Amino acid sequence: DDLHEKTKYFQLLRVTKHLQGLIKGGDEDYHLAEIETLEKHALHNQKSHEAKVQEKKKMIRRLRKAIGEKVRENSHLEDQLGSIQASVKERQHIHTIQASQKMSSTGAQSR
């Protein structure tokens, strides 16, 4: 009865590629092929990782260069801002003087 059950089980069993490999060449060849595939995959992942690391380092260098340029540009703009603010103060002072002179001259003419 047990033999009949096992025979029926094997007859209904779906044969997968893994099972075919076991039947044809045994378990040894399958493991060797799987190890080779995994080693290739690991090597590919390592190369891919290294390429990504190099790209990120390159991006960091570009960003640092851009930051340096922005710092220099900001410094230049701050210098310009200082001179522009001084110019505005001078013009405001001149405008105040001119306005007070007009008021004093119109006040003297109306008397």
Side-chain angles (χ1 to χ4, degrees):
D1 195 42
D2 190 41
L3 181 62
H4 183 54
E5 291 280 328
K6 284 186 180 183
T7 307
K8 185 177 177 182
Y9 171 77
F10 282 114
Q11 286 176 345
L12 296 175
L13 182 67
R14 291 192 181 262
V15 181
T16 63
K17 285 189 177 187
H18 172 68
L19 198 54
Q20 283 177 354
L22 289 176
I23 293 168
K24 286 182 181 176
D27 203 27
E28 181 83 18
D29 292 338
Y30 175 75
H31 284 301
L32 291 176
E34 187 176 6
I35 288 171
E36 184 179 339
T37 302
L38 291 173
E39 286 175 348
K40 286 180 183 179
H41 189 65
L43 182 63
H44 171 73
N45 285 343
Q46 184 179 3
K47 286 181 181 180
S48 175
H49 174 71
E50 187 61 34
K52 287 178 184 178
V53 167
Q54 292 302 322
E55 181 62 32
K56 297 296 180 185
K57 285 180 179 180
K58 192 177 190 181
M59 186 171 64
I60 288 171
R61 285 192 298 271
R62 278 188 265 135
L63 289 172
R64 285 186 176 152
K65 183 179 178 183
I67 288 169
E69 290 173 2
K70 292 295 181 185
V71 166
R72 285 189 293 280
E73 184 181 347
N74 284 346
S75 175
H76 179 70
L77 289 173
E78 285 176 1
D79 292 343
Q80 284 182 341
L81 179 65
S83 65
I84 290 172
Q85 285 175 334
S87 176
V88 167
K89 273 188 173 179
E90 282 182 39
R91 289 181 184 176
Q92 284 176 336
H93 183 68
I94 291 170
H95 179 69
T96 304
I97 292 172
Q98 287 176 344
S100 65
Q101 285 178 350
K102 278 187 180 179
M103 288 186 114
S104 62
S105 68
T106 55
Q109 288 178 358
S110 63
R111 290 186 195 174

